[in-house]
Coordinates of all heavy atoms in Angstrom, one line a residue:
M1498 N 35.2 73.2 -209.0 CA 34.3 72.6 -207.9 C 32.8 72.7 -208.2 O 32.1 71.9 -207.8 CB 34.8 73.3 -206.6 CG 34.2 72.7 -205.4 SD 34.8 71.1 -205.1 CE 34.0 70.6 -203.7
Q1499 N 32.5 73.7 -209.0 CA 31.1 74.0 -209.3 C 30.4 72.8 -210.0 O 29.4 72.4 -209.7 CB 30.9 75.3 -210.0 CG 29.5 75.6 -210.3 CD 28.7 76.0 -209.1 OE1 29.2 76.5 -208.1 NE2 27.5 75.5 -209.0
A1500 N 31.2 72.2 -211.0 CA 30.7 71.1 -211.8 C 30.5 69.9 -210.9 O 29.5 69.2 -211.0 CB 31.7 70.8 -212.9
F1501 N 31.4 69.7 -209.9 CA 31.3 68.6 -209.0 C 30.0 68.7 -208.2 O 29.3 67.8 -208.1 CB 32.5 68.5 -208.1 CG 32.4 67.5 -206.9 CD1 32.5 66.2 -207.1 CD2 32.0 68.0 -205.7 CE1 32.3 65.3 -206.1 CE2 31.9 67.1 -204.6 CZ 32.0 65.7 -204.9
D1502 N 29.7 70.0 -207.7 CA 28.5 70.2 -206.9 C 27.3 69.9 -207.7 O 26.3 69.3 -207.2 CB 28.5 71.6 -206.3 CG 29.6 71.8 -205.2 OD1 30.0 70.8 -204.6 OD2 29.9 72.9 -205.0
T1503 N 27.3 70.4 -209.0 CA 26.1 70.2 -209.8 C 25.9 68.7 -210.1 O 24.8 68.3 -210.1 CB 26.3 71.0 -211.2 OG1 26.5 72.4 -210.8 CG2 25.1 70.9 -212.1
D1504 N 27.0 68.0 -210.3 CA 26.9 66.5 -210.6 C 26.3 65.9 -209.3 O 25.4 65.0 -209.5 CB 28.3 66.0 -210.9 CG 28.2 64.5 -211.1 OD1 27.5 64.0 -212.0 OD2 29.0 63.7 -210.4
V1505 N 26.8 66.2 -208.2 CA 26.3 65.6 -206.9 C 24.7 65.9 -206.8 O 23.9 65.0 -206.6 CB 27.0 66.1 -205.7 CG1 26.3 65.7 -204.4 CG2 28.4 65.5 -205.7
R1506 N 24.4 67.1 -207.0 CA 23.0 67.5 -207.0 C 22.1 66.8 -207.9 O 21.0 66.2 -207.6 CB 22.8 69.0 -207.1 CG 21.4 69.5 -207.1 CD 21.3 71.0 -207.2 NE 21.8 71.5 -206.0 CZ 22.0 72.9 -205.8 NH1 21.7 73.7 -206.7 NH2 22.5 73.3 -204.6
D1507 N 22.5 66.7 -209.2 CA 21.8 66.0 -210.2 C 21.6 64.6 -209.9 O 20.5 64.0 -210.1 CB 22.4 66.2 -211.6 CG 22.4 67.6 -212.1 OD1 21.5 68.4 -211.6 OD2 23.1 67.9 -213.1
R1508 N 22.6 63.9 -209.4 CA 22.5 62.5 -209.1 C 21.6 62.2 -207.9 O 20.8 61.3 -207.8 CB 23.9 62.0 -208.7 CG 24.8 61.9 -210.0 CD 26.3 61.7 -209.8 NE 26.6 60.4 -209.2 CZ 27.9 60.1 -208.8 NH1 28.8 61.0 -208.9 NH2 28.2 59.0 -208.3
I1509 N 21.6 63.2 -206.9 CA 20.7 63.0 -205.7 C 19.2 63.3 -206.2 O 18.3 62.5 -205.8 CB 21.0 64.0 -204.6 CG1 22.4 63.6 -204.0 CG2 20.0 64.1 -203.5 CD1 23.0 64.6 -203.0
I1510 N 19.0 64.2 -207.0 CA 17.6 64.5 -207.5 C 17.2 63.3 -208.3 O 16.0 62.9 -208.2 CB 17.6 65.8 -208.5 CG1 17.8 67.0 -207.5 CG2 16.3 65.9 -209.2 CD1 17.9 68.4 -208.3
K1511 N 18.0 62.7 -209.1 CA 17.6 61.5 -209.9 C 17.3 60.3 -208.9 O 16.3 59.7 -209.2 CB 18.8 61.0 -210.8 CG 18.5 59.9 -211.7 CD 19.6 59.7 -212.6 CE 19.3 58.5 -213.5 NZ 20.5 58.0 -214.3
L1512 N 18.0 60.2 -207.8 CA 17.6 59.1 -206.9 C 16.2 59.4 -206.2 O 15.5 58.5 -206.1 CB 18.7 59.1 -205.8 CG 20.1 58.4 -206.1 CD1 21.1 58.7 -205.0 CD2 19.9 56.9 -206.3
V1513 N 16.0 60.7 -205.8 CA 14.8 61.1 -205.2 C 13.6 60.8 -206.2 O 12.6 60.2 -205.8 CB 14.8 62.5 -204.7 CG1 13.4 63.0 -204.3 CG2 15.8 62.7 -203.6
K1514 N 13.7 61.2 -207.4 CA 12.7 61.1 -208.4 C 12.4 59.6 -208.6 O 11.3 59.1 -208.9 CB 13.1 61.8 -209.7 CG 12.9 63.3 -209.6 CD 13.2 63.9 -211.0 CE 12.9 65.4 -210.9 NZ 13.1 66.1 -212.1
G1515 N 13.5 58.8 -208.7 CA 13.4 57.3 -208.9 C 12.5 56.7 -207.8 O 11.6 55.9 -208.0
I1516 N 12.7 57.1 -206.5 CA 12.0 56.6 -205.4 C 10.5 57.0 -205.5 O 9.6 56.3 -205.3 CB 12.6 57.0 -204.1 CG1 13.9 56.3 -203.9 CG2 11.7 56.7 -202.9 CD1 14.8 56.8 -202.7
L1517 N 10.3 58.3 -205.8 CA 8.9 58.8 -206.0 C 8.2 58.0 -207.1 O 7.0 57.7 -206.9 CB 9.0 60.3 -206.3 CG 9.3 61.2 -205.1 CD1 9.5 62.7 -205.6 CD2 8.3 61.1 -204.0
E1518 N 8.9 57.7 -208.2 CA 8.3 57.0 -209.3 C 7.9 55.6 -208.9 O 6.8 55.1 -209.3 CB 9.2 57.0 -210.5 CG 9.4 58.3 -211.3 CD 10.4 58.3 -212.3 OE1 11.0 57.2 -212.6 OE2 10.7 59.4 -212.8
Q1519 N 8.7 55.0 -208.0 CA 8.3 53.6 -207.5 C 7.0 53.7 -206.8 O 6.2 52.8 -206.7 CB 9.4 53.1 -206.7 CG 10.6 52.7 -207.4 CD 11.8 52.3 -206.5 OE1 11.7 52.5 -205.2 NE2 12.8 51.6 -206.9
N1520 N 6.7 54.9 -206.2 CA 5.5 55.1 -205.4 C 4.4 55.7 -206.3 O 3.4 56.2 -205.7 CB 5.7 56.0 -204.2 CG 6.6 55.3 -203.2 OD1 6.8 54.1 -203.1 ND2 7.3 56.2 -202.4
S1521 N 4.6 55.7 -207.6 CA 3.7 56.3 -208.5 C 3.4 57.8 -208.2 O 2.3 58.3 -208.4 CB 2.3 55.6 -208.6 OG 2.5 54.3 -208.9
L1522 N 4.5 58.5 -207.7 CA 4.3 60.0 -207.4 C 5.3 60.7 -208.4 O 6.3 60.2 -208.7 CB 4.7 60.2 -206.0 CG 3.9 59.6 -204.9 CD1 4.5 59.8 -203.5 CD2 2.5 60.2 -204.9
V1523 N 4.9 61.9 -208.7 CA 5.6 62.8 -209.6 C 5.7 64.1 -208.8 O 4.7 64.6 -208.4 CB 5.1 63.0 -211.0 CG1 5.9 63.9 -211.8 CG2 5.0 61.6 -211.6
A1524 N 6.9 64.6 -208.6 CA 7.0 65.9 -207.9 C 8.2 66.7 -208.6 O 9.1 66.1 -209.1 CB 7.3 65.7 -206.4
N1525 N 8.1 68.0 -208.6 CA 9.1 68.8 -209.0 C 10.1 69.0 -207.9 O 9.7 69.6 -206.8 CB 8.6 70.2 -209.5 CG 9.6 71.1 -210.0 OD1 10.7 70.7 -210.4 ND2 9.5 72.4 -210.0
I1526 N 11.2 68.4 -208.0 CA 12.2 68.4 -206.9 C 13.1 69.6 -207.1 O 14.0 69.5 -208.0 CB 13.0 67.1 -206.8 CG1 12.0 65.9 -206.7 CG2 13.9 67.1 -205.7 CD1 11.1 65.9 -205.5
T1527 N 13.1 70.5 -206.2 CA 14.0 71.6 -206.2 C 15.0 71.4 -205.0 O 14.7 70.6 -204.1 CB 13.3 73.0 -205.9 OG1 12.6 73.0 -204.6 CG2 12.3 73.3 -207.0
P1528 N 16.2 71.9 -205.1 CA 17.2 71.7 -204.1 C 16.8 72.0 -202.7 O 17.1 71.3 -201.7 CB 18.4 72.6 -204.5 CG 18.2 72.7 -206.0 CD 16.7 72.8 -206.3
S1529 N 15.9 73.0 -202.5 CA 15.5 73.4 -201.2 C 14.1 72.7 -200.7 O 13.7 72.9 -199.6 CB 15.4 74.9 -201.0 OG 14.4 75.4 -202.0
A1530 N 13.5 72.0 -201.6 CA 12.2 71.4 -201.3 C 12.4 70.3 -200.2 O 13.3 69.5 -200.3 CB 11.6 70.8 -202.5
K1531 N 11.5 70.3 -199.2 CA 11.5 69.3 -198.2 C 11.1 68.0 -198.8 O 10.1 67.8 -199.4 CB 10.5 69.6 -197.0 CG 10.9 70.9 -196.3 CD 11.9 70.7 -195.2 CE 12.1 72.0 -194.4 NZ 13.3 72.7 -194.8
L1532 N 12.0 66.9 -198.6 CA 11.7 65.6 -199.2 C 10.4 65.0 -198.7 O 9.7 64.3 -199.4 CB 12.9 64.7 -198.9 CG 14.2 65.2 -199.6 CD1 15.3 64.3 -199.3 CD2 14.1 65.3 -201.1
V1533 N 10.1 65.2 -197.4 CA 8.8 64.7 -196.8 C 7.7 65.3 -197.5 O 6.6 64.6 -197.8 CB 8.7 65.0 -195.3 CG1 7.7 64.1 -194.7 CG2 10.1 64.7 -194.6
D1534 N 7.7 66.6 -197.8 CA 6.7 67.3 -198.5 C 6.5 66.8 -199.9 O 5.4 66.8 -200.5 CB 6.8 68.8 -198.5 CG 6.8 69.4 -197.1 OD1 6.3 68.8 -196.2 OD2 7.3 70.6 -197.0
A1535 N 7.6 66.3 -200.5 CA 7.5 65.8 -201.9 C 6.9 64.4 -201.9 O 6.4 63.9 -203.0 CB 8.9 65.7 -202.5
G1536 N 6.7 63.8 -200.7 CA 6.1 62.5 -200.7 C 6.9 61.4 -200.2 O 6.4 60.2 -200.2
L1537 N 8.1 61.6 -199.7 CA 8.9 60.5 -199.2 C 8.5 60.1 -197.9 O 8.4 60.9 -197.0 CB 10.5 60.9 -199.3 CG 11.3 60.4 -200.5 CD1 10.7 61.1 -201.7 CD2 12.7 60.7 -200.3
T1538 N 8.4 58.8 -197.6 CA 8.0 58.3 -196.3 C 9.4 57.9 -195.6 O 10.4 58.0 -196.1 CB 7.2 57.0 -196.4 OG1 8.0 56.0 -197.1 CG2 5.9 57.2 -197.3
S1539 N 9.2 57.4 -194.3 CA 10.4 57.0 -193.6 C 11.1 55.8 -194.3 O 12.3 55.8 -194.3 CB 10.1 56.7 -192.1 OG 9.1 55.7 -192.1
M1540 N 10.3 54.9 -194.9 CA 10.9 53.8 -195.6 C 11.6 54.3 -196.8 O 12.7 53.8 -197.2 CB 9.9 52.7 -196.0 CG 9.5 51.8 -194.8 SD 10.9 51.0 -194.0 CE 11.5 50.0 -195.4
D1541 N 11.0 55.3 -197.5 CA 11.6 55.9 -198.7 C 13.0 56.6 -198.3 O 14.0 56.5 -199.0 CB 10.8 56.9 -199.3 CG 9.5 56.3 -199.9 OD1 9.5 55.2 -200.3 OD2 8.5 57.1 -199.9
M1542 N 13.0 57.1 -197.1 CA 14.3 57.8 -196.6 C 15.4 56.7 -196.5 O 16.6 57.0 -196.8 CB 14.1 58.5 -195.3 CG 13.2 59.7 -195.5 SD 14.0 61.0 -196.6 CE 12.8 62.3 -196.3
V1543 N 15.0 55.5 -195.9 CA 15.9 54.5 -195.8 C 16.5 54.0 -197.2 O 17.7 53.9 -197.4 CB 15.3 53.2 -195.1 CG1 16.3 52.0 -195.1 CG2 15.0 53.6 -193.7
N1544 N 15.6 53.9 -198.2 CA 15.9 53.6 -199.5 C 16.8 54.6 -200.1 O 17.8 54.3 -200.9 CB 14.7 53.3 -200.4 CG 14.0 52.1 -200.1 OD1 14.6 51.1 -199.6 ND2 12.7 52.0 -200.2
L1545 N 16.5 55.9 -199.8 CA 17.3 57.0 -200.3 C 18.7 57.0 -199.7 O 19.7 57.1 -200.4 CB 16.7 58.4 -200.0 CG 17.4 59.6 -200.4 CD1 17.6 59.6 -201.9 CD2 16.6 60.8 -200.0
M1546 N 18.8 56.6 -198.4 CA 20.1 56.5 -197.8 C 20.9 55.4 -198.5 O 22.1 55.6 -198.8 CB 19.9 56.2 -196.3 CG 21.3 56.0 -195.6 SD 21.0 55.4 -193.9 CE 20.7 53.6 -194.3
L1547 N 20.3 54.3 -198.7 CA 21.0 53.2 -199.3 C 21.4 53.5 -200.8 O 22.5 53.2 -201.3 CB 20.1 51.9 -199.3 CG 19.8 51.3 -197.9 CD1 18.8 50.2 -198.0 CD2 21.2 50.8 -197.2
G1548 N 20.5 54.2 -201.4 CA 20.8 54.6 -202.8 C 21.9 55.6 -202.9 O 22.8 55.6 -203.8
V1549 N 22.0 56.6 -201.9 CA 23.1 57.5 -201.9 C 24.4 56.8 -201.7 O 25.4 57.0 -202.3 CB 22.9 58.6 -200.8 CG1 24.2 59.4 -200.5 CG2 21.8 59.5 -201.2
E1550 N 24.4 55.8 -200.8 CA 25.6 55.0 -200.5 C 26.1 54.3 -201.7 O 27.2 54.3 -202.1 CB 25.4 54.0 -199.3 CG 25.3 54.7 -198.0 CD 25.1 53.7 -196.8 OE1 24.6 52.6 -197.1 OE2 25.5 54.1 -195.7
A1551 N 25.1 53.7 -202.5 CA 25.5 52.9 -203.7 C 25.9 53.9 -204.8 O 26.9 53.6 -205.5 CB 24.2 52.1 -204.1
E1552 N 25.2 55.0 -205.0 CA 25.5 55.9 -206.1 C 26.9 56.5 -205.9 O 27.6 56.8 -206.9 CB 24.4 57.0 -206.1 CG 24.6 58.1 -207.1 CD 24.4 57.6 -208.6 OE1 23.7 56.6 -208.8 OE2 25.0 58.3 -209.4
F1553 N 27.2 56.9 -204.7 CA 28.5 57.6 -204.4 C 29.6 56.7 -203.9 O 30.7 57.2 -203.6 CB 28.3 58.9 -203.5 CG 27.4 59.9 -204.2 CD1 26.0 59.9 -203.9 CD2 27.9 60.8 -205.1 CE1 25.2 60.8 -204.5 CE2 27.1 61.7 -205.7 CZ 25.7 61.7 -205.5
D1554 N 29.2 55.4 -203.7 CA 30.3 54.4 -203.3 C 30.9 54.8 -202.0 O 32.2 54.8 -201.9 CB 31.3 54.2 -204.4 CG 32.1 52.9 -204.2 OD1 31.5 52.0 -203.6 OD2 33.3 52.9 -204.6
F1555 N 30.2 55.1 -201.0 CA 30.7 55.2 -199.6 C 29.7 54.9 -198.6 O 28.5 54.8 -199.0 CB 31.3 56.6 -199.4 CG 30.2 57.6 -199.2 CD1 29.8 58.1 -197.9 CD2 29.6 58.3 -200.3 CE1 28.8 59.1 -197.8 CE2 28.7 59.3 -200.1 CZ 28.3 59.7 -198.8
T1556 N 30.0 54.6 -197.4 CA 29.1 54.3 -196.3 C 28.9 55.6 -195.5 O 29.8 56.2 -195.1 CB 29.6 53.2 -195.4 OG1 29.9 52.0 -196.2 CG2 28.7 52.9 -194.3
I1557 N 27.6 56.0 -195.4 CA 27.4 57.1 -194.6 C 27.6 56.8 -193.1 O 27.1 55.9 -192.6 CB 25.9 57.5 -194.8 CG1 25.6 57.9 -196.2 CG2 25.6 58.8 -193.9 CD1 24.1 58.1 -196.5
P1558 N 28.5 57.6 -192.5 CA 28.8 57.4 -191.1 C 27.5 57.5 -190.2 O 26.7 58.3 -190.5 CB 29.8 58.5 -190.7 CG 30.3 59.0 -192.0 CD 29.3 58.7 -193.0
Q1559 N 27.4 56.7 -189.2 CA 26.2 56.7 -188.3 C 25.9 58.1 -187.8 O 24.7 58.5 -187.8 CB 26.5 55.8 -187.1 CG 25.2 55.5 -186.3 CD 24.2 54.7 -187.0 OE1 24.5 53.8 -187.7 NE2 22.9 55.0 -186.8
S1560 N 26.9 58.9 -187.5 CA 26.7 60.3 -187.0 C 26.1 61.2 -188.0 O 25.6 62.2 -187.6 CB 28.1 60.8 -186.5 OG 29.0 60.9 -187.6
E1561 N 26.2 60.9 -189.3 CA 25.6 61.7 -190.3 C 24.2 61.3 -190.8 O 23.6 62.0 -191.5 CB 26.5 61.7 -191.6 CG 27.9 62.2 -191.3 CD 27.8 63.7 -191.0 OE1 27.1 64.5 -191.6 OE2 28.6 64.1 -190.1
I1562 N 23.7 60.2 -190.2 CA 22.3 59.7 -190.5 C 21.4 60.5 -189.6 O 21.0 59.9 -188.5 CB 22.2 58.2 -190.4 CG1 23.3 57.5 -191.4 CG2 20.8 57.7 -190.8 CD1 23.4 56.0 -191.3
T1563 N 21.1 61.7 -189.9 CA 20.2 62.5 -189.1 C 19.1 63.1 -189.9 O 19.2 63.2 -191.2 CB 21.0 63.7 -188.5 OG1 21.5 64.5 -189.6 CG2 22.3 63.2 -187.7
P1564 N 18.0 63.4 -189.3 CA 16.9 64.0 -190.0 C 17.3 65.3 -190.7 O 16.9 65.6 -191.8 CB 15.9 64.3 -189.0 CG 16.1 63.4 -187.9 CD 17.7 63.2 -187.9
E1565 N 18.2 66.1 -190.1 CA 18.7 67.3 -190.7 C 19.4 67.1 -192.1 O 19.2 67.8 -193.0 CB 19.7 68.0 -189.8 CG 19.1 68.5 -188.5 CD 18.8 67.4 -187.4 OE1 19.5 66.4 -187.5 OE2 18.0 67.6 -186.6
N1566 N 20.2 66.0 -192.2 CA 20.9 65.7 -193.4 C 20.0 65.2 -194.5 O 20.4 65.2 -195.7 CB 22.0 64.8 -193.2 CG 23.3 65.4 -192.6 OD1 23.4 66.6 -192.6 ND2 24.1 64.7 -191.9
F1567 N 18.8 64.7 -194.1 CA 17.9 64.1 -195.1 C 16.6 65.0 -195.3 O 15.6 64.5 -195.7 CB 17.5 62.7 -194.7 CG 18.6 61.7 -195.0 CD1 19.7 61.6 -194.1 CD2 18.6 61.0 -196.2 CE1 20.7 60.7 -194.3 CE2 19.7 60.1 -196.4 CZ 20.7 59.9 -195.5
Q1568 N 16.8 66.3 -195.0 CA 15.6 67.2 -195.1 C 15.3 67.5 -196.6 O 14.2 67.6 -197.0 CB 15.9 68.5 -194.4 CG 15.5 68.4 -192.9 CD 15.6 69.8 -192.3 OE1 16.1 70.7 -192.8 NE2 15.1 69.8 -191.1
S1569 N 16.4 67.8 -197.4 CA 16.2 68.3 -198.7 C 17.4 67.8 -199.6 O 18.4 67.3 -199.1 CB 16.2 69.8 -198.7 OG 17.4 70.4 -198.3
V1570 N 17.3 68.1 -200.9 CA 18.5 67.8 -201.7 C 19.7 68.6 -201.3 O 20.8 68.1 -201.3 CB 18.0 68.1 -203.2 CG1 19.2 68.0 -204.1 CG2 16.9 67.1 -203.7
E1571 N 19.4 69.8 -200.9 CA 20.6 70.7 -200.5 C 21.3 70.1 -199.3 O 22.5 70.0 -199.3 CB 20.0 72.1 -200.1 CG 19.9 73.0 -201.3 CD 19.4 74.3 -200.8 OE1 18.8 74.5 -199.7 OE2 19.5 75.3 -201.6
T1572 N 20.5 69.6 -198.3 CA 21.2 69.1 -197.1 C 21.9 67.8 -197.4 O 23.0 67.5 -196.9 CB 20.2 69.0 -195.9 OG1 19.1 68.1 -196.3 CG2 19.6 70.3 -195.5
L1573 N 21.3 67.0 -198.2 CA 21.9 65.7 -198.6 C 23.2 66.0 -199.4 O 24.2 65.4 -199.2 CB 21.0 65.0 -199.5 CG 20.3 63.8 -198.8 CD1 19.3 63.2 -199.8 CD2 21.3 62.7 -198.4
E1574 N 23.1 67.0 -200.3 CA 24.2 67.4 -201.2 C 25.4 67.8 -200.3 O 26.6 67.5 -200.5 CB 23.8 68.5 -202.1 CG 24.9 69.0 -203.0 CD 24.4 70.2 -203.9 OE1 23.2 70.6 -203.7 OE2 25.2 70.7 -204.6
R1575 N 25.1 68.6 -199.3 CA 26.2 69.1 -198.4 C 26.9 68.0 -197.7 O 28.1 67.9 -197.6 CB 25.6 70.0 -197.4 CG 26.4 71.3 -197.2 CD 25.6 72.3 -196.3 NE 24.2 72.2 -196.7 CZ 23.2 72.9 -196.3 NH1 23.4 73.8 -195.4 NH2 22.0 72.8 -196.6
M1576 N 26.0 67.0 -197.2 CA 26.6 65.9 -196.5 C 27.4 65.0 -197.4 O 28.5 64.6 -197.0 CB 25.4 65.1 -195.8 CG 25.9 63.9 -194.9 SD 26.1 62.3 -195.8 CE 24.4 62.0 -196.3
V1577 N 26.9 64.7 -198.6 CA 27.7 63.9 -199.5 C 29.0 64.6 -199.9 O 30.0 64.0 -199.9 CB 26.8 63.6 -200.8 CG1 27.7 63.0 -201.9 CG2 25.7 62.6 -200.4
S1578 N 28.9 65.8 -200.2 CA 30.1 66.6 -200.6 C 31.2 66.5 -199.5 O 32.4 66.4 -199.8 CB 29.8 68.0 -201.0 OG 29.0 68.0 -202.1
T1579 N 30.7 66.7 -198.2 CA 31.6 66.6 -197.1 C 32.3 65.3 -197.0 O 33.4 65.2 -196.7 CB 30.9 67.0 -195.8 OG1 30.3 68.3 -195.9 CG2 31.8 66.9 -194.6
Q1580 N 31.4 64.2 -197.1 CA 32.0 62.9 -197.1 C 33.0 62.5 -198.2 O 33.9 61.8 -198.0 CB 30.9 61.8 -197.1 CG 30.0 62.0 -195.8 CD 30.7 61.8 -194.6 OE1 31.5 60.8 -194.4 NE2 30.5 62.7 -193.6
L1581 N 32.8 63.1 -199.4 CA 33.6 62.8 -200.5 C 34.9 63.7 -200.6 O 35.8 63.4 -201.3 CB 32.8 63.0 -201.8 CG 31.7 62.0 -202.1 CD1 31.0 62.4 -203.4 CD2 32.1 60.6 -202.1
Q1582 N 34.9 64.8 -199.7 CA 36.1 65.7 -199.8 C 37.4 65.0 -199.6 O 38.3 65.2 -200.3 CB 35.9 66.8 -198.7 CG 34.9 67.8 -199.1 CD 35.1 68.4 -200.5 OE1 36.2 68.7 -200.9 NE2 34.0 68.7 -201.1
P1583 N 37.6 64.1 -198.5 CA 38.9 63.5 -198.4 C 39.3 62.7 -199.6 O 40.4 62.6 -200.0 CB 38.7 62.6 -197.2 CG 37.5 63.1 -196.4 CD 36.6 63.8 -197.5
A1584 N 38.3 62.0 -200.2 CA 38.6 61.2 -201.4 C 39.1 62.1 -202.5 O 39.9 61.8 -203.3 CB 37.4 60.4 -201.8
N1585 N 38.5 63.3 -202.7 CA 38.9 64.2 -203.7 C 40.2 64.8 -203.5 O 40.9 65.1 -204.5 CB 37.8 65.3 -203.9 CG 36.5 64.8 -204.5 OD1 36.5 63.7 -205.1 ND2 35.4 65.5 -204.2
A1586 N 40.6 65.0 -202.3 CA 41.8 65.7 -202.0 C 43.0 64.8 -202.2 O 44.1 65.2 -202.4 CB 41.8 66.2 -200.5
A1587 N 42.7 63.5 -202.2 CA 43.8 62.5 -202.3 C 44.4 62.4 -203.7 O 43.8 62.8 -204.7 CB 43.4 61.1 -201.9

């Protein structure tokens, strides 16, 4: 399970860095760093949400699209892992 979590985290960090690069920003993204503090705007958050959906091939349920879930890589990772659990159990 640890490798799965690391993979999810790495993929999310890559998405965040990609969005920052589009804005000509560079930041050291740690799992607990606040994404807003790293430079992501509300529009970037929408792009991140769409990127997460495309990267992990699932639609984020409306109930999960909350500021809390998009605070940091850690909170995003937890939400993605929770959403992918039923698929992994099958």
